[in-house]
Amino acid sequence: MTGPPPDGQALKLRTVQYIGYGAGDFANNLAFSMASMFLLLYYTDVVGIAASTAGTLFLLVRIWDGIGDVIVGRIIDRTSTRWGRYRPYLLFASLPLLLLLVALFSVPGGLGDSGKLVYAFLSYAVFSFAYGLVNIPYGSLSTAMTQDPDERSKLASARALATSLVILLLAVVVSPQIATSDDLQRSLTITTAALVLIGIPLYLFSFKTAKEQVARDVEKVTLRQTWDTLKRNKALLLLSLSSVLFLCGMFAVETIAVYYARNVLDNADLYIVLVAVQVVGMLIATVLVPTVVRRVGKRNSYLAGAAITALGGGVTALAPGSNPTIAIVGFGILGLGIGAVNTLIWALVAGTVEYGEWKTGVRAEGASYSILSLSRKVGQAVGAAAAAYIIGLGGYVSSAATQSDTAVTSIRIAAGAVPAAVSLAAIAVMTVYPLTESKFRQIVAEIAQRHAGYRRDERSPR
């Protein structure tokens, strides 16, 4: 056994480590949230791709992306460098990711309809693989920084806080361009180029501060060990299934919010208000999650957050377009629920790594996190594609100044009814999640005893 100190399970982190870890996700979401929030609108209203065609594109790319995540997880679990297993990817893969974001929002105008579609597919597919190459090791870092559940909750909160701030930043910066820019293509290219300059220093700061400190007993994980760990990890599989369902709703809202403001509330300027209120809800949830977790545990907190999301979806779906206040309240409730669940997903997946190690004796953070990342990609794909299909079936026309009643209703369904329904399904899955707080502490203690035994064996004379 080599590398980090053996007492990582009890390690308390410093403030700069929380900030550095959060900085990594701020940089991640400059790419991820930019694509989630505005790529469908860019495809339909700038490039001229039909909504239903864009939905199919999202699905195809995410199928490929799921395969890519599994490949990335295997690569990571076999990585061993002087910087650790995960941090090198923040150093070397981050710049290509951010440059690919610029390419994603820079579809050449002279390619023709077929050429534009091919470019959109290829650029999105390569971008998505590059994102996994950065995000999977980044997410795995929290499991390697400490095994203390409270510290992991704080890392998850730092990550969720960074995500909320990026969403608000992008809404404030990009949405005015949508309403007023004479050349939206040029504006988005300049904006994404600026995001490269912001993101690189943040990745470097995260690389410097987010150190790997948890010991492992298997330095390189074989494919057979990975498969055995995953198939016996009930906690990871249930969390991933619930995450797929919940994130379908989250990404449907994120994808369709700009349409909701413009076509349901008949005021594109309200998009910033909707996002701001949602982000405030997410920030409140992020602050409250560690306290709530200490009182009722992660699983019960997750169930409560999903229930709040379902309530917010219902309000959003039924809010009258003539009364924006009700819709704004609905988005605030959605933000509160989404912020809570999204924070808890990161805290919960860290625990599933120990669960898998406890079951099999193999610690496979990269493989475990790649499965959760796959679930997020599936959730994003299905949520974004469902939103695109729903408004396409409803008769949304990108060039029309006024949409039909059925198109407006379809936007309501995508923004409200979809997140409400899938959140209830996510609750049903998590009711049988096996990893309680007491069970987790028992597992960590048993793993620590195993490590102590391995070290005694290594010191014994042969």
Side-chain angles (χ1 to χ4, degrees):
M1 183 174 61
T2 62
D7 59 347
Q9 63 269 17
L11 184 66
K12 300 295 182 181
L13 303 177
R14 294 175 291 120
T15 301
V16 70
Q17 292 175 287
Y18 303 132
I19 297 172
Y21 189 72
D25 210 47
F26 194 103
N28 278 344
N29 276 281
L30 293 175
F32 184 76
S33 292
M34 183 70 189
S36 298
M37 295 168 69
F38 299 112
L39 191 57
L40 177 61
L41 182 74
Y42 173 69
Y43 282 160
T44 59
D45 289 25
V46 178
V47 183
I49 298 173
S52 57
T53 303
T56 301
L57 186 152
F58 286 150
L59 281 177
L60 291 176
V61 169
R62 291 309 176 189
I63 290 172
W64 147 250
D65 204 17
I67 298 171
D69 278 353
V70 175
I71 295 171
V72 169
R74 287 290 304 135
I75 293 171
I76 293 166
D77 276 335
R78 295 185 64 80
T79 298
S80 180
T81 75
R82 64 190 178 94
W83 295 301
R85 176 164 290 183
Y86 310 113
R87 293 167 62 233
Y89 294 91
L90 301 183
L91 186 62
F92 297 112
S94 55
L95 179 58
L97 167 64
L98 293 174
L99 292 176
L100 285 165
L101 176 67
V102 180
L104 188 64
F105 281 90
S106 301
V107 178
L111 294 178
D113 292 343
S114 297
K116 289 179 180 179
L117 190 59
V118 170
Y119 179 95
F121 175 82
L122 292 177
S123 61
Y124 196 20
V126 177
F127 167 83
S128 297
F129 183 82
Y131 178 74
L133 201 58
V134 176
N135 188 57
I136 291 175
Y138 166 79
S140 301
L141 261 176
S142 66
T143 67
M145 291 172 70
T146 178
Q147 287 178 296
D148 185 288
D150 291 336
E151 295 299 297
R152 285 181 173 178
S153 292
K154 292 175 184 177
L155 288 173
S157 294
R159 180 174 191 170
L161 174 62
T163 300
S164 300
L165 292 176
V166 173
I167 290 172
L168 181 59
L169 171 67
L170 292 176
V172 170
V173 170
V174 178
S175 58
Q177 299 176 33
I178 294 171
T180 62
S181 177
D182 295 330
D183 187 347
L184 187 55
Q185 174 62 80
R186 180 174 180 274
S187 296
L188 290 175
T189 299
I190 292 172
T191 298
T192 50
L195 296 181
V196 176
L197 300 178
I198 297 171
I200 289 301
L202 293 171
Y203 276 124
L204 293 176
F205 179 56
S206 187
F207 169 81
K208 182 176 177 60
T209 56
K211 301 294 180 68
E212 300 170 32
Q213 301 171 106
V214 175
R216 63 175 62 250
D217 298 305
V218 179
E219 188 61 28
K220 291 189 176 181
V221 183
T222 67
L223 181 60
R224 181 171 183 175
Q225 288 171 324
T226 297
W227 172 247
D228 189 47
T229 298
L230 295 179
K231 74 180 181 180
R232 296 174 61 185
N233 197 330
K234 179 181 178 182
L236 175 63
L237 297 177
L238 287 173
L239 176 62
S240 297
L241 176 57
S242 183
S243 296
V244 167
L245 294 167
F246 180 83
L247 293 166
C248 285
M250 172 181 160
F251 287 114
V253 173
E254 203 166 279
T255 302
I256 215 70
V258 65
Y259 297 86
Y260 187 91
R262 189 176 61 184
N263 301 116
V264 175
L265 303 182
D266 200 27
N267 186 349
D269 292 337
L270 285 175
Y271 174 66
I272 296 177
V273 178
L274 294 177
V275 172
V277 169
Q278 187 175 356
V279 167
V280 169
M282 293 169 70
L283 291 173
I284 292 171
T286 300
V287 172
L288 293 178
V289 159
T291 300
V292 176
V293 165
R294 282 195 296 270
R295 294 185 177 180
V296 302
K298 295 185 185 71
R299 183 182 69 176
N300 290 337
S301 299
Y302 182 105
L303 297 175
I308 292 170
T309 304
L311 173 62
V315 173
T316 299
L318 299 175
S322 58
N323 190 345
T325 301
I326 298 177
I328 291 169
V329 171
F331 267 75
I333 297 171
L334 277 170
L336 190 64
I338 288 172
V341 174
N342 211 27
T343 301
L344 287 159
I345 287 173
W346 304 126
L348 286 163
V349 71
T352 67
V353 172
E354 274 76 35
Y355 187 88
E357 183 180 6
W358 176 65
K359 282 283 189 180
T360 66
V362 175
R363 187 174 181 84
E365 293 103 325
S368 299
Y369 193 84
S370 70
I371 296 299
L372 182 71
S373 180
L374 170 61
S375 76
R376 291 186 68 81
K377 300 291 181 64
V378 172
Q380 184 189 15
V382 175
Y389 284 139
I390 288 169
I391 67 173
L393 291 172
Y396 174 81
V397 180
S398 62
S399 59
T402 303
Q403 300 295 330
S404 66
D405 289 344
T406 55
V408 172
T409 298
S410 69
I411 294 171
R412 289 180 178 277
I413 292 170
V418 169
V422 295
S423 293
L424 294 175
I427 288 173
V429 173
M430 283 300 283
T431 55
V432 294
Y433 183 74
L435 199 52
T436 63
E437 305 304 300
S438 59
K439 184 68 173 179
F440 176 77
R441 294 183 187 279
Q442 173 198 332
I443 287 172
V444 169
E446 291 185 15
I447 292 172
Q449 290 175 354
R450 289 181 193 171
H451 288 176
Y454 297 146
R455 289 194 294 274
R456 283 195 299 270
D457 290 342
E458 289 173 356
R459 290 194 298 264
S460 298
R462 303 291 180 181

